Amino acid sequence: MKKLILKPGREKSLKRRHPWVFSGAIARAEGEPKAGDTVAVHAADGTFLAVAAYSPQSQIRARVWDWRERDIDDGFLAGRVAQAVHARAALAAGGAGDVLRLIHGESDGLPGVIADRYGDMVVLQLLSTGAERWRGAIADALAALPGVRCVWERSDADVRALEGLEPQTGLLRGAAPASPHAVIEHGIKYEIGFESGHKTGFYLDQRDNRLRVRALAAGCDALDCFCYSGGFALNMLKGGAKSVTAVDSSADALAQARRHAELNQLPAAEWLEGDVFQTLRRFRDQGKSFDLIVLDPPKFAPTAAHAEKAARAYKDINLLGFKLLRPGGALATFSCSGGVSADLFQKIVAGAALDAGVEARITDWLHAAADHPVALPFPEGEYLKGLVCRVSV
Ligand code: SAH
């Protein structure tokens, strides 16, 4: 097997089973490995550490497949896919509906592989050279799952460029899926934009948090900021909100959200196209107020390097959110930035409440749903955090 030899002392993170080998840790490669090749990673003293997929263009130069010395082949990939699916059997049976993340990358022992199940279709996203190399085996394993009629590829995320990979999308296995593709989450129907929607078409990670917001909504004048295809707003309507206003900058997303409201015969909502930062200021100037506000912005800080600028943006919207809340109201506020820790996020939100002149307490700490696990040695896997803050009467 081709080899990567680390510099002295650089084996520590691998010994803790962190699955990435950074370029700066490598002393040399032996056997001229190419993109996607399996390499054996050795410490400077020759100790075997792991087998990994090689990625010559990326700062993350190798991603670990296994901690034992073994070949990586179709059977290995099929086994890992089966393990990931098996681990979710209880969730699939437990009312999550037919929308489930089946494979969550590194945390499922499949670095760079994301697979989301939408009813009888699976949308696959390959984000690393190792994942790319084993496309066929992964697609075969997914296509063979009971009830799966098609596997669709959505490998068009920007991060592929860091690995030197071109975008790739389209049908991989089975029959072309019905479009629009209808699914149900917590009793609400959605049509998944699997061809061009964000991520694989839907934000599955917010599944449980949408239900939590539904439970808070009865009788509320509610506001959903960054609503995308309506996830939180639809749950607010379903939960008996008195009124729902939803804001997003994307006309396409809003059209989908409106369609979802109709499809579910939910009461009318106000769907507003606009920038949330400006809209919240306008609402403040107009003296508007709400009982329940959701802030679910896009990733302001993809890495820790962007944390400071992101912190200002989070502070800004949370401050405005607190100002727009009526006494006794609740703010459900999220960050999906890997570069902003849960601890920092809580500090930012606390600062926003202080500056808004409100007293608030946290009633819920929220995370991604259970089909987005975080492997213990891989804290990078924890990206989504949320707080429900109730302000004093
Ligand atoms: N809450 C959604 C997911 C939100 S994703 C759900 O549960 O499905 C983030 C959304 O923010 C995207 O739809 C994007 O179009 C929107 N967006 C990004 N920047 C924005 C801005 N400055 N103002 C308004 N919307 C914005």
Side-chain angles (χ1 to χ4, degrees), residues 198 203 210 226-228 231-232 248-250 274-277 296 298:
H198 294 184
Y203 289 86
R210 293 190 188 108
F226 310 95
C227 69
Y228 189 51
F232 284 105
D248 201 282
S249 55
S250 156
D275 174 67
V276 164
F277 293 83
D296 183 23

mmCIF file of all heavy atoms in Angstrom, residues 198 203 210 226-228 231-232 248-250 274-277 296 298, ligand 1:
data_model
loop_
_atom_site.group_PDB
_atom_site.id
_atom_site.type_symbol
_atom_site.label_atom_id
_atom_site.label_comp_id
_atom_site.label_asym_id
_atom_site.label_seq_id
_atom_site.Cartn_x
_atom_site.Cartn_y
_atom_site.Cartn_z
ATOM 1 N N HIS A 198 -31.055 24.202 -1.773
ATOM 2 C CA HIS A 198 -29.875 24.267 -0.907
ATOM 3 C C HIS A 198 -29.536 22.869 -0.390
ATOM 4 O O HIS A 198 -30.393 22.028 -0.239
ATOM 5 C CB HIS A 198 -30.140 25.168 0.291
ATOM 6 C CG HIS A 198 -30.335 26.599 -0.087
ATOM 7 N ND1 HIS A 198 -30.513 27.605 0.821
ATOM 8 C CD2 HIS A 198 -30.394 27.185 -1.304
ATOM 9 C CE1 HIS A 198 -30.668 28.752 0.192
ATOM 10 N NE2 HIS A 198 -30.604 28.529 -1.094
ATOM 11 N N TYR A 203 -33.352 21.347 4.679
ATOM 12 C CA TYR A 203 -32.532 21.422 5.888
ATOM 13 C C TYR A 203 -33.027 20.377 6.889
ATOM 14 O O TYR A 203 -33.815 20.671 7.775
ATOM 15 C CB TYR A 203 -32.565 22.826 6.479
ATOM 16 C CG TYR A 203 -31.794 23.818 5.635
ATOM 17 C CD1 TYR A 203 -32.383 24.466 4.557
ATOM 18 C CD2 TYR A 203 -30.448 24.082 5.895
ATOM 19 C CE1 TYR A 203 -31.673 25.347 3.766
ATOM 20 C CE2 TYR A 203 -29.732 24.970 5.109
ATOM 21 C CZ TYR A 203 -30.348 25.598 4.053
ATOM 22 O OH TYR A 203 -29.636 26.473 3.266
ATOM 23 N N ARG A 210 -37.936 22.305 14.479
ATOM 24 C CA ARG A 210 -39.189 22.813 13.908
ATOM 25 C C ARG A 210 -40.377 22.383 14.766
ATOM 26 O O ARG A 210 -41.311 23.142 14.993
ATOM 27 C CB ARG A 210 -39.372 22.289 12.483
ATOM 28 C CG ARG A 210 -38.355 22.821 11.508
ATOM 29 C CD ARG A 210 -38.746 22.466 10.077
ATOM 30 N NE ARG A 210 -37.671 22.823 9.177
ATOM 31 C CZ ARG A 210 -36.871 21.969 8.568
ATOM 32 N NH1 ARG A 210 -37.064 20.669 8.705
ATOM 33 N NH2 ARG A 210 -35.910 22.392 7.786
ATOM 34 N N PHE A 226 -35.233 34.167 7.626
ATOM 35 C CA PHE A 226 -34.458 33.223 6.800
ATOM 36 C C PHE A 226 -35.283 31.938 6.645
ATOM 37 O O PHE A 226 -34.845 30.848 7.012
ATOM 38 C CB PHE A 226 -33.098 32.901 7.427
ATOM 39 C CG PHE A 226 -32.288 34.111 7.840
ATOM 40 C CD1 PHE A 226 -32.318 34.592 9.141
ATOM 41 C CD2 PHE A 226 -31.491 34.767 6.915
ATOM 42 C CE1 PHE A 226 -31.570 35.688 9.528
ATOM 43 C CE2 PHE A 226 -30.721 35.875 7.292
ATOM 44 C CZ PHE A 226 -30.762 36.334 8.605
ATOM 45 N N CYS A 227 -36.475 32.071 6.093
ATOM 46 C CA CYS A 227 -37.450 30.963 6.162
ATOM 47 C C CYS A 227 -37.224 29.870 5.133
ATOM 48 O O CYS A 227 -37.776 28.791 5.249
ATOM 49 C CB CYS A 227 -38.866 31.513 6.023
ATOM 50 S SG CYS A 227 -39.256 32.150 4.368
ATOM 51 N N TYR A 228 -36.398 30.133 4.086
ATOM 52 C CA TYR A 228 -36.170 29.149 3.004
ATOM 53 C C TYR A 228 -37.509 28.592 2.513
ATOM 54 O O TYR A 228 -38.411 29.354 2.200
ATOM 55 C CB TYR A 228 -35.196 28.052 3.477
ATOM 56 C CG TYR A 228 -34.756 27.126 2.359
ATOM 57 C CD1 TYR A 228 -34.256 27.625 1.154
ATOM 58 C CD2 TYR A 228 -34.851 25.745 2.498
ATOM 59 C CE1 TYR A 228 -33.863 26.776 0.133
ATOM 60 C CE2 TYR A 228 -34.462 24.883 1.470
ATOM 61 C CZ TYR A 228 -33.969 25.413 0.291
ATOM 62 O OH TYR A 228 -33.602 24.565 -0.723
ATOM 63 N N GLY A 231 -39.916 25.815 6.428
ATOM 64 C CA GLY A 231 -39.870 24.867 7.551
ATOM 65 C C GLY A 231 -40.455 25.378 8.867
ATOM 66 O O GLY A 231 -41.420 24.808 9.386
ATOM 67 N N PHE A 232 -39.886 26.456 9.405
ATOM 68 C CA PHE A 232 -40.378 26.930 10.713
ATOM 69 C C PHE A 232 -41.746 27.595 10.584
ATOM 70 O O PHE A 232 -42.621 27.394 11.426
ATOM 71 C CB PHE A 232 -39.364 27.887 11.347
ATOM 72 C CG PHE A 232 -38.183 27.178 11.931
ATOM 73 C CD1 PHE A 232 -36.951 27.196 11.291
ATOM 74 C CD2 PHE A 232 -38.303 26.470 13.120
ATOM 75 C CE1 PHE A 232 -35.855 26.527 11.822
ATOM 76 C CE2 PHE A 232 -37.218 25.796 13.666
ATOM 77 C CZ PHE A 232 -35.994 25.833 13.008
ATOM 78 N N ASP A 248 -37.381 35.957 3.561
ATOM 79 C CA ASP A 248 -36.195 35.361 2.933
ATOM 80 C C ASP A 248 -35.817 36.242 1.748
ATOM 81 O O ASP A 248 -36.669 36.907 1.158
ATOM 82 C CB ASP A 248 -36.456 33.923 2.473
ATOM 83 C CG ASP A 248 -35.172 33.119 2.304
ATOM 84 O OD1 ASP A 248 -34.484 33.315 1.277
ATOM 85 O OD2 ASP A 248 -34.846 32.312 3.205
ATOM 86 N N SER A 249 -34.529 36.216 1.381
ATOM 87 C CA SER A 249 -34.090 37.035 0.248
ATOM 88 C C SER A 249 -34.301 36.321 -1.085
ATOM 89 O O SER A 249 -34.142 36.918 -2.139
ATOM 90 C CB SER A 249 -32.613 37.400 0.417
ATOM 91 O OG SER A 249 -31.856 36.223 0.578
ATOM 92 N N SER A 250 -34.642 35.046 -1.041
ATOM 93 C CA SER A 250 -34.757 34.275 -2.282
ATOM 94 C C SER A 250 -36.221 34.122 -2.719
ATOM 95 O O SER A 250 -37.037 33.535 -1.996
ATOM 96 C CB SER A 250 -34.132 32.890 -2.075
ATOM 97 O OG SER A 250 -34.670 31.952 -2.981
ATOM 98 N N GLY A 274 -36.973 39.806 1.028
ATOM 99 C CA GLY A 274 -36.143 40.926 1.460
ATOM 100 C C GLY A 274 -34.974 40.469 2.295
ATOM 101 O O GLY A 274 -34.849 39.288 2.634
ATOM 102 N N ASP A 275 -34.119 41.432 2.596
ATOM 103 C CA ASP A 275 -32.959 41.189 3.427
ATOM 104 C C ASP A 275 -33.396 41.246 4.899
ATOM 105 O O ASP A 275 -34.044 42.205 5.313
ATOM 106 C CB ASP A 275 -31.912 42.272 3.124
ATOM 107 C CG ASP A 275 -30.736 42.175 4.048
ATOM 108 O OD1 ASP A 275 -30.000 41.186 3.952
ATOM 109 O OD2 ASP A 275 -30.566 43.071 4.893
ATOM 110 N N VAL A 276 -33.047 40.225 5.662
ATOM 111 C CA VAL A 276 -33.510 40.167 7.052
ATOM 112 C C VAL A 276 -32.961 41.337 7.879
ATOM 113 O O VAL A 276 -33.680 41.939 8.680
ATOM 114 C CB VAL A 276 -33.146 38.809 7.705
ATOM 115 C CG1 VAL A 276 -33.259 38.883 9.219
ATOM 116 C CG2 VAL A 276 -34.043 37.707 7.151
ATOM 117 N N PHE A 277 -31.695 41.681 7.654
ATOM 118 C CA PHE A 277 -31.088 42.780 8.435
ATOM 119 C C PHE A 277 -31.894 44.069 8.240
ATOM 120 O O PHE A 277 -32.184 44.787 9.200
ATOM 121 C CB PHE A 277 -29.636 43.002 7.999
ATOM 122 C CG PHE A 277 -28.727 41.854 8.340
ATOM 123 C CD1 PHE A 277 -28.651 40.734 7.507
ATOM 124 C CD2 PHE A 277 -27.958 41.871 9.492
ATOM 125 C CE1 PHE A 277 -27.820 39.676 7.812
ATOM 126 C CE2 PHE A 277 -27.117 40.817 9.809
ATOM 127 C CZ PHE A 277 -27.048 39.716 8.967
ATOM 128 N N ASP A 296 -32.856 31.841 11.782
ATOM 129 C CA ASP A 296 -32.094 30.670 11.314
ATOM 130 C C ASP A 296 -31.266 31.066 10.095
ATOM 131 O O ASP A 296 -31.531 30.632 8.977
ATOM 132 C CB ASP A 296 -33.061 29.528 10.968
ATOM 133 C CG ASP A 296 -32.317 28.268 10.544
ATOM 134 O OD1 ASP A 296 -31.138 28.111 10.916
ATOM 135 O OD2 ASP A 296 -32.918 27.433 9.831
ATOM 136 N N PRO A 298 -28.065 31.775 7.336
ATOM 137 C CA PRO A 298 -27.065 30.907 6.704
ATOM 138 C C PRO A 298 -25.773 30.961 7.507
ATOM 139 O O PRO A 298 -25.636 31.761 8.431
ATOM 140 C CB PRO A 298 -26.889 31.532 5.323
ATOM 141 C CG PRO A 298 -27.260 32.961 5.494
ATOM 142 C CD PRO A 298 -28.319 32.991 6.545
HETATM 143 N N1 SAH B 1 -35.018 27.967 8.250
HETATM 144 C C1 SAH B 1 -34.853 27.269 6.996
HETATM 145 C C2 SAH B 1 -33.427 27.206 6.527
HETATM 146 C C3 SAH B 1 -32.740 28.548 6.391
HETATM 147 S S1 SAH B 1 -31.384 28.534 5.317
HETATM 148 C C4 SAH B 1 -35.455 25.881 7.122
HETATM 149 O O1 SAH B 1 -35.848 25.451 8.215
HETATM 150 O O2 SAH B 1 -35.559 25.182 6.112
HETATM 151 C C5 SAH B 1 -30.963 30.195 5.160
HETATM 152 C C6 SAH B 1 -31.855 31.015 4.279
HETATM 153 O O3 SAH B 1 -31.450 32.378 4.412
HETATM 154 C C7 SAH B 1 -31.810 30.753 2.773
HETATM 155 O O4 SAH B 1 -33.097 30.452 2.327
HETATM 156 C C8 SAH B 1 -31.327 32.058 2.116
HETATM 157 O O5 SAH B 1 -32.013 32.374 0.924
HETATM 158 C C9 SAH B 1 -31.658 33.055 3.180
HETATM 159 N N2 SAH B 1 -30.836 34.268 3.267
HETATM 160 C C10 SAH B 1 -29.485 34.374 3.237
HETATM 161 N N3 SAH B 1 -29.098 35.642 3.507
HETATM 162 C C11 SAH B 1 -30.236 36.355 3.710
HETATM 163 C C12 SAH B 1 -30.501 37.712 4.057
HETATM 164 N N4 SAH B 1 -29.507 38.584 4.270
HETATM 165 N N5 SAH B 1 -31.785 38.095 4.192
HETATM 166 C C13 SAH B 1 -32.796 37.214 4.001
HETATM 167 N N6 SAH B 1 -32.602 35.915 3.701
HETATM 168 C C14 SAH B 1 -31.331 35.484 3.563
#
